Amino acid sequence: MRHYARIAVALCLLIVALPALVPVQARAESKQYKRSVEGYQMPDVTLINQEGKNVRLKNLVESGKPVIVDFIYGTCTTICPVLSACYISLQNKLGANTPKVHLVSISIDPENDSPRVMRDYLKRYRAKTGWDFLTGSRKDIDAVMRGFDAYIPNKMSHYAVTFIHKPGGNSWIRINGITSTSEFIEEIKKADISF
Amino acid sequence: MHCLHIPTSLKLTGISVTAVCLLALLSLLPLTVWSAGTGDAPLPPPEEVVRLGEKMYRDGLFPSGGEVQAVIRDDVQVNSASFSCVSCHLRSGIGSIEGQILSPPTNGLKLYKPYYQYNPVFPEPNKPPPKNMMDRPGAKPLYRPAYTDETLAAVIRFGVNPSKRELNPVMPRYLLDDRDMSILIAYLKTLSAEHSPGVSKKEIRFATVIAGDVPTERRSEMLAILDAVIKNHNTKAKKRNKNINLGGNRYVEASFNYPFFTLSRWELTGPPATWRAQLDEYYRKEPVFALLGGMAAGSWQPMHEFSEQNKIPCLLPVTDLPVISESDWYTLYLSRGAWQEGDSAARYLHRIAELPQDTSVLQIIEDSATSRAVAAGFAGAWQELMRLPPVTVKLGHREQLSPTALRQLLRKEKPDVILLWTSGQTGAILSELAVGPEVPKRVHVSSTLLNHRLVEIPDRARLFTFISYPYRIDEVKEPFHVNARAWLKKNAAPVTDQRISANLFTLTKVLLEPFQVVKRDFNPAGQGNGLVIMEEQFEMMMHVRRNYYRDYLLDVIDMMADTKSLAFERVSFGPGQRYISKGCYIIKLSPGDKPNLIRESDWVIH
């Protein structure tokens, strides 16, 4: 019995992994990312940032600044480095406008991601001010993932997803996949955010 | 353009915009990074090539010291100081699956062979997934021929493989000149090139270390669970091997059969300073693939250093005194041990009790490694939280703190918090404190130092005594726990309050799962014809089979999902994470002989 279960799990893993291997030609017409506009209700939770300070998620989202959110973790391979490279590349491209957008990464490995681990991570990526990394209790982090309709029970099976929020309202642009920096900026502009 | 060495074998026709952009970018690189002429300089001697290649692969640093440059999706610049090849293809180079993306093997052995992958499909959300690979319509293998040095350089630079397929954009396109590329490729050829020591056709050898004077009950409990784990693997391997080994006498290569496990006991005697030499001698006589479990009378440090220097994984030694390191690789600990208890106490006082910044703390330390470890954990966190350092009283060897001395200390220091990092005398000191004249507000103690005899905390002191408790609090009746207990019972592993079996039950995950004997081959026809096939790629994700490399075992463990544990609230894994339990409760006791453990904190406190 156990074997079959395991094989089934592995198969599922395999199947979800396969899109990554689709030849580019096969999807040449479509963009390399998928975009949709969604409404999300955030749970009222308090998370902890890289400085060890409490951050109420509601206040962060309603700060009046455009907010961009992704889900990563400190020791993550493959997808987080690429998402974070996109963040830092965006910050570099925005230059003097960097402070106008609040970049937020939320940990999906909250037990290991202590403020120190998160500080080190941001330093390694040369994050500029305006990019915060948040951790919290397992329960609160699960609630946030659910709030974004991005709940994953196992951190290894997460996927590249980024959310863009323009101030006011519950509306978010959801981006599945990896954008180039110019596409990222286009999407931010589409959210009516101007620099 | 500067003198660029673009491999001539590469025809520009099939190449995408990315490649063209890359070429453009390359030509813009300043001369300092792309210094003309270095491409022709002869390569350094082999060991040096490996060292320099490893620096590129792991640290993203050029032999010249600068950061390797790369791009993703044409305009996302990658600073290789933040991540490099190892972040995706992992230390062994056998690859990873993460973020639903498969990073394939990048060791020479696999790259220089043809490779088959099944034609992938997108899972359709409203349809059940196909039952197996063969059920998919139009499943036909994706193929790429064996790489050559030229095509390998091309795929690393331009992301186009020898069958002209453009790779997933997640694989960055790297800007390397010919010489650096040769060094990197030479390194890839050494990566996971042959099975690690301790692996033969027939078996994979393990050892467990018993160092110094370990109490008999503890060592028998450990040996019983280790034997159970080994036997469990061997029973499955035997069944599987029946056909392969033609009656069990003639053993084919370990790549095709299922090697049995053997376990040796390495007993170390005499003072800890002599243990390292004894380990080296055992290893010289019998190279093992990895160490399992293990116990020591004292710190695990000598074994830790032995593992680190010889690159031998050590899975789950049972110790309160692990080496606390952010970067060491080869020892996978159950937890940070006694250190964690001090760390959690500090974080509790800061984040949950929210004591003011000028809180005064008095700590009493005994002359023992465990007491010092708890204190070190506290000090590290307390300092990180920018708190005033505690006033420390160090007791001498076997020194008992007398009631008079205690009262004098309290009068002088008037501490807001007392840290009692003491062992046997803790009950007596707490009784003394409960008498007054002024009853303290908070006293923190360590359950490991109390040797887990929490009832020794007197009733009168229980209101102000906070205990660091690094285990799960309730034994729940979830299927995991029921099954785990049943497994231990069936396999004759004793379960005591020493928590040794409870701890080492996790070996069924970190050891047995990676070597899991998979019942079904996805492409049995592919076996043995020298091709890297789908089956192997499938295996790659969760199993070690056929990739008997020590580094790969650790890579596989690092990819494991968080799980439950009999001993801890949770255990979790992740690349480079070397303490699988990350938590420690702060609790209080209810009165009486059979007190309840009252939770004062979450499992993990930041």
Side-chain angles (χ1 to χ4, degrees):
Chain A
M1 238 355 256
R2 275 182 63 142
H3 276 315
Y4 290 125
R6 186 156 297 126
I7 288 170
V9 168
L11 246 180
C12 292
L13 261 177
L14 184 68
I15 286 160
V16 293
L18 290 171
L21 303 167
V22 172
V24 169
Q25 300 90 292
R27 48 178 181 186
E29 326 75 78
S30 65
K31 288 209 168 160
Q32 301 216 357
Y33 65 93
K34 262 206 215 117
R35 159 190 207 277
S36 58
V37 179
E38 314 278 345
Y40 295 125
Q41 213 63 51
M42 285 308 122
D44 188 7
V45 295
T46 297
L47 304 177
I48 301 168
N49 73 9
Q50 69 278 3
E51 306 300 337
K53 301 249 154 54
N54 288 338
V55 176
R56 198 171 152 200
L57 188 64
K58 272 219 150 72
N59 298 349
L60 183 150
V61 172
E62 290 161 11
S63 69
K65 257 192 205 182
V67 177
I68 302 180
V69 171
D70 69 6
F71 291 95
I72 63 168
Y73 60 100
T75 65
C76 163
T77 60
T78 318
I79 202 69
C80 308
V82 174
L83 287 171
S84 296
C86 290
Y87 264 20
I88 201 64
S89 185
L90 178 70
Q91 282 199 325
N92 289 340
K93 194 74 168 257
L94 290 180
N97 282 319
T98 301
K100 293 191 183 163
V101 186
H102 192 178
L103 302 182
V104 179
S105 294
I106 298 177
S107 167
I108 51 167
D109 187 15
E111 296 204 345
N112 196 60
D113 286 344
S114 61
R116 198 180 43 70
V117 169
M118 299 191 298
R119 261 196 317 275
D120 291 349
Y121 185 91
L122 293 177
K123 205 163 134 204
R124 189 147 47 87
Y125 281 85
R126 301 192 188 127
K128 301 199 173 84
T129 324
W131 176 3
D132 286 319
F133 196 166
L134 306 178
T135 188
S137 72
R138 165 83 49 159
K139 194 169 110 269
D140 289 346
I141 293 283
D142 284 355
V144 177
M145 286 197 279
R146 289 205 162 91
F148 280 102
D149 193 14
Y151 177 73
I152 43 115
N154 165 14
K155 66 176 185 275
M156 295 309 286
S157 61
H158 76 139
Y159 47 88
V161 60
T162 310
F163 302 90
I164 305 174
H165 177 63
K166 97 173 176 183
N170 292 331
S171 155
W172 293 78
I173 295 177
R174 180 186 183 113
I175 292 178
N176 280 304
I178 306 286
T179 56
S180 69
T181 305
S182 42
E183 288 164 344
F184 204 2
I185 289 183
E186 277 311 300
E187 290 297 345
I188 296 172
K189 286 190 176 150
K190 275 189 217 155
D192 254 4
I193 300 164
S194 51
F195 306 108
Chain B
M1 265 172 105
H2 325 304
C3 77
L4 285 173
H5 302 274
I6 302 305
T8 43
S9 65
L10 204 85
K11 287 198 221 87
L12 272 170
T13 41
I15 298 171
S16 72
V17 188
T18 320
V20 176
C21 292
L22 253 176
L23 284 174
L25 252 171
L26 281 174
S27 68
L28 291 175
L29 277 181
L31 277 169
T32 42
V33 178
W34 196 283
S35 55
T38 50
D40 301 325
L43 289 187
E47 323 79 72
E48 183 64 1
V49 165
V50 171
R51 195 184 66 81
L52 294 172
E54 187 173 287
K55 245 175 68 180
M56 272 193 261
Y57 187 87
R58 288 195 191 166
D59 309 326
L61 292 177
F62 278 124
S64 59
E67 278 170 37
V68 174
Q69 299 296 313
V71 286
I72 294 171
R73 296 286 331 268
D74 299 344
D75 67 354
V76 180
Q77 294 279 342
V78 174
N79 290 319
S80 294
S82 41
F83 68 96
S84 57
C85 321
V86 75
S87 310
C88 303
H89 298 283
L90 304 192
R91 214 177 248 232
S92 64
I94 306 297
S96 71
I97 175 149
E98 205 282 336
Q100 308 197 351
I101 290 185
L102 186 84
S103 301
T106 187
N107 58 331
L109 197 66
K110 304 250 155 110
L111 290 172
Y112 289 82
K113 276 180 194 166
Y115 189 69
Y116 285 96
Q117 297 170 331
Y118 275 97
N119 201 14
V121 280
F122 280 108
E124 289 173 58
N126 300 322
K127 281 191 199 155
K131 276 199 226 69
N132 67 40
M133 305 303 300
M134 314 305 172
D135 293 347
R136 283 187 294 99
K140 64 175 193 294
L142 255 183
Y143 169 80
R144 71 141 174 76
Y147 279 100
T148 62
D149 288 0
E150 286 71 34
T151 56
L152 187 53
V155 78
I156 294 171
R157 283 190 179 123
F158 311 113
V160 178
N161 82 0
S163 9
K164 301 275 184 287
R165 182 172 73 85
E166 184 166 345
L167 300 190
N168 186 303
V170 163
M171 161 74 195
R173 290 16 175 185
Y174 283 90
L175 317 182
L176 297 174
D177 74 9
D178 283 356
R179 184 167 186 272
D180 293 339
M181 185 62 84
S182 314
I183 293 175
L184 180 62
I185 289 178
Y187 174 70
L188 297 180
K189 287 177 184 167
T190 66
L191 199 56
S192 296
E194 47 190 63
H195 288 162
S196 298
V199 178
S200 68
K201 280 184 186 175
K202 194 178 165 190
E203 50 196 26
I204 300 182
R205 310 187 72 84
F206 297 92
T208 188
V209 175
I210 301 171
D213 212 0
V214 173
T216 324
E217 335 77 76
R218 289 179 59 79
R219 59 183 275 154
S220 355
E221 183 173 341
M222 179 182 76
L223 291 172
I225 170 93
L226 289 179
D227 283 344
V229 166
I230 300 276
K231 213 167 92 194
N232 190 283
H233 169 90
N234 287 347
T235 310
K236 284 186 245 161
K238 195 169 170 192
K239 269 195 212 138
R240 266 313 257 157
N241 275 331
K242 256 197 213 133
N243 302 328
I244 301 171
N245 288 321
L246 314 164
N249 299 323
R250 288 204 282 132
Y251 276 87
V252 292
E253 282 301 328
S255 326
F256 299 109
N257 70 8
Y258 302 87
F260 294 107
F261 287 173
T262 68
L263 182 72
S264 304
R265 292 178 205 180
W266 290 1
E267 312 234 6
L268 314 181
T269 52
T274 65
W275 291 352
R276 179 57 200 274
Q278 296 176 54
L279 284 167
D280 290 339
E281 183 55 18
Y282 272 118
Y283 185 62
R284 200 185 55 73
K285 283 202 211 117
E286 184 201 13
V288 292
F289 184 77
L291 300 174
L292 304 179
M295 284 180 170
S299 160
W300 196 254
Q301 184 146 11
M303 282 60 79
H304 179 103
E305 284 167 5
F306 167 79
S307 285
E308 207 57 27
Q309 282 154 24
N310 293 295
K311 300 186 163 69
I312 301 173
C314 175
L315 305 184
L316 311 183
V318 182
T319 176
D320 295 327
L321 298 169
V323 172
I324 307 295
S325 159
E326 295 294 320
S327 52
D328 285 357
W329 200 258
Y330 287 94
T331 304
L332 181 73
Y333 289 106
L334 288 153
S335 75
R336 291 185 175 83
W339 189 96
Q340 183 67 56
E341 295 181 36
D343 177 89
S344 292
R347 295 181 192 281
Y348 173 82
L349 290 171
H350 178 82
R351 189 165 294 281
I352 297 172
E354 294 185 299
L355 296 189
Q357 208 62 27
D358 60 355
T359 298
S360 62
V361 179
L362 169 69
Q363 77 173 336
I364 297 168
I365 306 181
E366 285 180 351
D367 183 20
S368 77
T370 311
S371 180
R372 280 189 293 271
V374 181
F378 186 90
W382 205 237
Q383 194 182 356
E384 185 193 316
L385 299 167
M386 309 218 263
R387 298 284 187 154
L388 301 173
V391 172
T392 302
V393 174
K394 286 187 182 153
L395 301 178
H397 189 55
R398 291 176 194 248
E399 185 187 346
Q400 304 282 314
L401 186 66
S402 72
T404 340
L406 177 66
R407 222 154 278 137
Q408 264 172 9
L409 253 176
L410 296 183
R411 258 203 308 276
K412 181 159 160 254
E413 303 297 340
K414 299 193 181 51
D416 301 315
V417 179
I418 302 171
L419 310 175
L420 217 46
W421 304 145
T422 49
S423 52
Q425 57 183 312
T426 308
I429 299 179
L430 285 172
S431 296
E432 209 49 60
L433 287 170
V435 175
E438 250 187 82
V439 177
K441 284 192 282 292
R442 306 176 165 277
V443 178
H444 280 259
V445 300
S446 138
S447 55
T448 296
L449 277 166
L450 288 172
N451 207 5
H452 306 295
R453 287 193 294 264
L454 302 186
V455 284
E456 286 178 10
I457 296 173
D459 266 7
R460 288 176 302 173
R462 289 186 187 173
L463 270 180
F464 60 78
T465 304
F466 294 76
I467 310 159
S468 293
Y469 187 77
Y471 297 109
R472 67 176 310 123
I473 289 180
D474 8 80
E475 174 56 42
V476 280
K477 288 265 178 297
E478 287 173 19
F480 170 87
H481 292 85
V482 174
N483 291 342
R485 298 250 169 237
W487 191 97
L488 289 172
K489 198 164 165 206
K490 185 171 141 227
N491 290 282
V495 182
T496 72
D497 55 7
Q498 305 262 351
R499 292 198 182 81
I500 294 165
S501 309
N503 275 325
L504 291 183
F505 179 75
T506 305
L507 280 175
T508 60
K509 185 171 177 82
V510 302
L511 181 71
L512 294 189
E513 276 187 21
F515 288 95
Q516 183 84 37
V517 175
V518 181
K519 276 198 182 140
R520 178 167 164 197
D521 294 325
F522 280 79
N523 180 4
Q527 264 193 9
N529 61 5
L531 302 178
V532 180
I533 50 162
M534 187 66 215
E535 179 198 359
E536 232 179 275
Q537 195 175 47
F538 163 76
E539 294 277 322
M540 193 193 92
M541 295 171 203
M542 285 169 14
H543 303 289
V544 166
R545 199 180 121 207
R546 298 178 194 189
N547 291 304
Y548 299 122
Y549 313 115
R550 289 164 172 168
D551 282 351
Y552 188 55
L553 173 60
L554 289 171
D555 287 347
V556 168
I557 293 171
D558 287 353
M559 286 186 269
M560 288 183 163
D562 301 3
T563 183
K564 298 184 168 138
S565 155
L566 285 173
F568 306 108
E569 195 55 57
R570 247 187 317 277
V571 294
S572 60
F573 307 87
Q577 296 184 20
R578 290 294 173 261
Y579 307 90
I580 64 173
S581 163
K582 274 97 180 169
C584 172
Y585 285 114
I586 303 297
I587 59 164
K588 278 183 173 179
L589 292 191
S590 68
D593 293 343
K594 291 213 166 69
N596 292 325
L597 311 187
I598 307 160
R599 213 177 287 209
E600 295 286 317
S601 76
D602 271 345
W603 173 240
V604 173
I605 315 167
H606 283 312

